[in-house]
Amino acid sequence: MLDLIAHNLAPIMFIMVMGMLLLGYPVAFTLAAGGMYFFVVGVELSHISPEIRLSWPLAQANMNRVFDIMRNDTLLAIPFFTFMGLILERSRMAEDLLDTIGQLFGTVRGGLAFAVVIVGALLAATTGVVAASVIAMGLISLPIMMRYNYNPGLAAGTIAASGTLAQIIPPSLVLIVMADQLGRSVGDMYVGAMLPALMLVGMYCLYIFAVTLVKPEWAPALPPEARPLGSGGKSLYFIMLAAIGLYIVSYYFIFTEFRYETRVVWAALAATVIPYLFALANRQFNLGYLSKMAEQVVIVLIPPLALIFLVLGTIFLGIATPTEGGAMGAAGALVMALAKRRLDLKTLTQALDSTAKLATFVMFILIGARVFALTFYGISGDIWVEELMLALPGGETGFLIVVTIIVFILGCFLDFFEIAFVLVPLLAPVADKLGIDLIWFGVLLGMNLQVSFLTPPFGFALFYLRSVAPTKAWHDTTTNRMIDPITTRAIYTGTLPFIAINVLMLGILIAFPGLVTHYKSEPVIMDQGDINRTINNIGGSGFGLPGMELDGGLGLPGGPGFGLPGESAPALPNFGAPPATPDAGGGLPAPGGLPAPGDAGGLPRFD
């Protein structure tokens, strides 16, 4: 019996710990307790099975592993983005966006549903919190959609699905954790996820458009009395064209002396700040140049868009790391809330309290996962998982399908933090061995977890929406009529088409990995003027150290070659390469056939 247990300790440990998690025991303590208990069992059985590599001195490694978590700068992005999202949520940004975009699209059938999808994407790119997005849109949009006779299932499904976009649209917390657990760059994960996320938003909009064609009564247009801002299309088009023109002029004619990244930032700043200030002046002094609609759209939309660019734009351009981008986003959210006079001590205290709770929650789960992993790896659990996964038929595709199904099922019961900290580290080595790009793998898992948030009967987004949707008939004062409640069945059936869209998107990602892996082929954009200015600003010519000349060697005074006084550099073997040109800086050809570093003017162009 002991032999059987010793040789199968890894599957026993995994099944028991996962069973305790599914029963609802606290995650952090279950992982840590399971890891410590099976560590003791493994040490006692180590003389029976050579697969068990545990010993008492190894327990000391847990302390170092905990301190490694504390030293992980990447995880700092989690509290930063959480704080940013909470401040924006409490400053009622969602309410402003839904009201404005709802009126902007109100003239078309399904306009409110389109507005919910677009606002869901904007909230995802700013708050990154599913619960906040679903609850905010459920409280604000659902009563309006029911007032104007939207189909209950369509309304509920659109709100729930749009709220879960925070799982996959950067700066998603899921992608941060995935990148950390997979050992990949968060910036690469963001770049890889952006295109699939935008495609998913487009597919949601296409579905709503199809509904308006097949069942136009399910998504009627808003009546004129529900659109007090009017239309104002001409002035809105004018302000959009003006913003594009400002960007082009600023980039190509004004900020030409700056580096590429700096030019993009300053040009984007000019293209947003100038129209924003113009709209504020138009409202303050009643200038009348802009319609009420254009004025409201500019004033409401530009601040969150600017914040998105401040966070994601600087990360994509390589100006800031994700942690630094999160810090700038948190600061930007505070500025936005202050500018709207919606930041007080109570709001700040609540946001800090919630951020501290979430950060502590993540930290304790990660500590428990590290204790679990030390024991699981010590009993060769990683080898067991690898052999199990590699034995699946179908190779890479079979592995991805099975993992997708497993994560989908577990995602209905477990939080994504638990799956990311426990399951992902076990699957990543297998994916790597099969030649699967880990950024692609992480995006697939993130989108999979988004589907699990929507899936009845245990999808978290469904519970969030159920908590704010009316359960009894209510009297609407605007239309002076009783409106039926939203049933749980309507919520569940309304999400089914969006689940099908997500599953289709998962299949597209598996079939076309280039939608994610394009991050590896994006060129590094460098500017010839940047290089020349950098070299010249160092001082002197060439490498520019004072008193150096690059005519011979590295240019130290006193002689050719390496320039040491009184001696020359020894000849180096050329390994079959053509002879070096004597005057090309130290007698060595520049790597890759590039000109010698002594000739700054001959540097290659990268643009």
Side-chain angles (χ1 to χ4, degrees):
M1 186 65 178
L2 286 179
D3 285 348
L4 180 64
I5 294 174
H7 288 288
N8 295 278
L9 192 58
I12 292 172
M13 176 184 179
F14 185 80
I15 292 171
M16 287 190 66
V17 171
M18 293 303 295
M20 297 290 282
L21 291 177
L22 293 175
L23 288 174
Y25 285 92
V27 179
F29 302 116
T30 300
L31 292 174
M36 294 171 66
Y37 173 78
F38 280 97
F39 187 93
V40 175
V41 173
V43 170
E44 295 301 322
L45 296 179
S46 59
H47 65 283
I48 298 178
S49 172
E51 299 170 352
I52 301 175
R53 300 161 301 186
L54 296 176
S55 60
W56 291 117
L58 187 61
Q60 301 175 21
N62 276 319
M63 298 304 298
N64 289 331
R65 292 166 70 83
V66 170
F67 281 111
D68 285 342
I69 299 172
M70 306 299 181
R71 289 190 289 263
N72 190 341
D73 292 339
T74 302
L75 295 177
L76 278 174
I78 293 177
F80 283 141
F81 284 124
T82 303
F83 180 75
M84 178 182 77
L86 292 170
I87 289 292
L88 293 175
E89 175 204 352
R90 284 163 173 75
S91 64
R92 303 197 301 276
M93 183 186 73
E95 182 178 343
D96 294 339
L97 287 171
L98 284 166
D99 179 58
T100 303
I101 299 180
Q103 293 194 49
L104 181 64
F105 288 95
T107 56
V108 299
R109 287 199 299 259
L112 280 177
F114 288 124
V116 166
V117 174
I118 293 171
V119 172
L122 289 174
L123 291 177
T126 49
T127 64
V129 181
V130 172
S133 300
V134 174
I135 290 173
M137 292 192 295
L139 287 171
I140 300 164
S141 293
L142 191 57
I144 300 175
M145 297 174 86
M146 299 310 300
R147 175 183 303 157
Y148 296 111
N149 299 316
Y150 268 68
N151 177 270
L154 176 65
T158 303
I159 291 172
S162 301
T164 60
L165 289 171
Q167 293 284 88
I168 193 64
I169 293 181
S172 162
L173 300 184
V174 175
L175 299 179
I176 296 174
V177 174
M178 285 292 176
D180 177 69
Q181 295 301 299
L182 292 170
R184 291 297 183 267
S185 162
V186 178
D188 287 344
M189 190 70 76
Y190 281 176
V191 174
M194 183 56 75
L195 182 57
L198 293 177
M199 289 178 61
L200 189 62
V201 172
M203 292 169 73
Y204 284 178
C205 291
L206 280 176
Y207 166 69
I208 295 169
F209 178 70
V211 169
T212 62
L213 296 179
V214 179
K215 296 279 188 179
E217 68 276 8
W218 281 17
L222 289 180
E225 60 270 17
R227 295 183 274 114
L229 294 177
S231 57
K234 291 182 179 178
S235 55
L236 186 57
Y237 292 141
F238 167 77
I239 204 76
M240 290 173 60
L241 291 174
I244 295 171
L246 282 169
Y247 179 86
I248 294 172
V249 171
S250 301
Y251 185 85
Y252 289 103
F253 300 103
I254 298 177
F255 302 112
T256 54
E257 295 299 318
F258 291 96
R259 290 167 54 90
Y260 163 76
E261 299 90 345
T262 313
R263 287 165 67 189
V264 171
V265 172
W266 281 106
L269 188 66
T272 52
V273 171
I274 294 176
Y276 182 71
L277 294 177
F278 180 72
L280 287 177
N282 189 77
R283 170 176 290 184
Q284 184 69 27
F285 301 108
N286 294 319
L287 300 178
Y289 293 117
L290 296 177
S291 65
K292 288 185 178 180
M293 173 63 76
E295 180 184 279
Q296 182 73 2
V297 168
V298 171
I299 292 175
V300 170
L301 271 183
I302 280 186
L305 289 175
L307 186 63
I308 291 170
F309 177 77
L310 179 69
V311 175
L312 297 181
T314 53
I315 293 173
F316 291 166
L317 290 171
I319 299 173
T321 65
T323 303
E324 294 164 347
M328 290 191 294
L334 288 172
V335 172
M336 282 179 57
L338 277 172
K340 293 183 177 181
R341 298 177 182 177
R342 294 176 180 174
L343 182 65
D344 52 24
L345 184 61
K346 180 181 179 182
T347 300
L348 185 61
T349 303
Q350 289 176 345
L352 288 171
D353 181 62
S354 299
T355 302
K357 286 180 180 177
L358 180 65
T360 307
F361 167 75
V362 173
M363 195 62 64
F364 268 88
I365 290 181
L366 194 49
I367 291 173
R370 287 296 178 93
V371 176
F372 170 86
L374 179 68
T375 302
F376 195 70
Y377 279 71
I379 60 177
S380 301
D382 56 324
I383 298 175
W384 169 68
V385 171
E386 184 175 310
E387 291 176 348
L388 190 66
M389 293 290 107
L390 291 177
L392 293 172
E396 176 186 308
T397 305
F399 168 77
L400 290 174
I401 292 173
V402 170
V403 168
T404 298
I405 294 172
I406 292 173
V407 172
F408 176 78
I409 295 173
L410 291 178
C412 296
F413 304 96
L414 301 179
D415 192 76
F416 73 87
F417 284 119
E418 301 155 20
I419 294 174
F421 291 147
V422 177
L423 198 61
V424 172
L426 300 177
L427 297 175
V430 185
D432 199 30
K433 181 167 285 190
L434 287 171
I436 297 173
D437 183 270
L438 292 185
I439 297 292
W440 177 41
F441 187 58
V443 172
L444 280 172
L445 293 180
M447 192 158 286
N448 197 343
L449 290 172
Q450 183 199 0
V451 185
S452 65
F453 260 65
L454 278 175
T455 306
F458 304 109
F460 292 115
L462 308 180
F463 295 146
Y464 299 146
L465 184 58
R466 176 71 280 174
S467 67
V468 297
T471 56
K472 298 179 180 178
W474 53 284
H475 180 262
D476 180 50
T477 56
T478 303
T479 58
N480 195 28
R481 63 186 179 92
M482 296 297 293
I483 296 180
D484 293 333
I486 300 293
T487 64
T488 302
R489 179 178 180 180
I491 295 175
Y492 283 2
T493 55
T495 58
L496 294 179
F498 293 96
I499 294 172
I501 291 172
N502 281 61
V503 172
L504 175 62
M505 189 65 215
L506 274 173
I508 292 173
L509 281 184
I510 293 175
F512 303 100
L515 294 172
V516 176
T517 56
H518 65 86
Y519 78 94
K520 294 190 292 188
S521 60
E522 291 189 355
V524 177
I525 302 176
M526 299 181 67
D527 189 276
Q528 179 70 30
D530 296 342
I531 302 171
N532 292 339
R533 280 191 296 273
T534 302
I535 294 174
N536 293 332
N537 289 338
I538 296 176
S541 61
F543 285 95
L545 294 178
M548 289 188 174
E549 299 294 338
L550 294 180
D551 293 334
L554 289 181
L556 294 174
F562 282 91
L564 296 178
E567 70 178 62
S568 59
L572 295 178
N574 59 15
F575 299 103
T581 305
D583 60 351
L588 295 177
L594 299 179
D599 182 13
L603 286 169
R605 296 187 63 86
F606 293 89
D607 58 347

